């Protein structure tokens, strides 16, 4: 099971990372952060299942950063 989750998280991270690197439209960028948030949550689950606590802690922080990205690109309406 954890192998399937690893590949799902890997694919999500790579795909969303490509969108961010491409400097896509703001709405698309926001959705890339949603995908990254989901991938980070999957990595937290994988870390729990495999007792890799450093992976869990890292992805808790990455999830918070990605949530900020979601807020910044999809919710916040202020000036840049």
């Amino acid at each position: 099971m954890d192998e399937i989750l690893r590949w799902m998280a890997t694919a999500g991270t790579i795909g969303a990372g490509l969108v961010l690197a491409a400097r896509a439209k703001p709405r698309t960028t926001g959705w890339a952060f949603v995908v990254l948030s989901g991938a980070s949550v999957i990595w937290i689950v994988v870390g729990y299942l495999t007792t890799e606590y450093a992976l869990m802690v890292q992805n808790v922080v990455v999830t918070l950063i990605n949530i900020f990205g979601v807020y910044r690109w999809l919710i916040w309406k202020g000036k840049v």
Side-chain angles (χ1 to χ4, degrees):
M1 176 65 164
D2 64 32
E3 192 66 20
I4 293 169
L5 292 173
R6 285 178 187 273
W7 282 108
M8 288 173 53
T10 298
T13 302
I14 291 170
L18 286 170
V19 170
L20 294 177
R23 296 181 61 178
K25 293 185 239 178
R27 190 136 186 94
T28 305
T29 297
W31 282 104
F33 277 109
V34 171
V35 172
L36 282 172
S37 298
S40 295
V41 169
I42 294 172
W43 281 121
I44 293 167
V45 172
V46 169
Y48 177 78
L49 293 174
T50 60
T51 65
E52 295 179 54
Y53 299 114
L55 181 65
M56 287 176 63
V57 170
Q58 170 189 319
N59 279 284
V60 166
V61 174
V62 170
T63 300
L64 295 173
I65 293 167
N66 290 329
I67 289 170
F68 174 70
V70 170
Y71 173 76
R72 165 65 180 83
W73 290 98
L74 291 178
I75 299 169
W76 186 51
K77 302 298 182 200
K79 284 190 170 186
V80 178

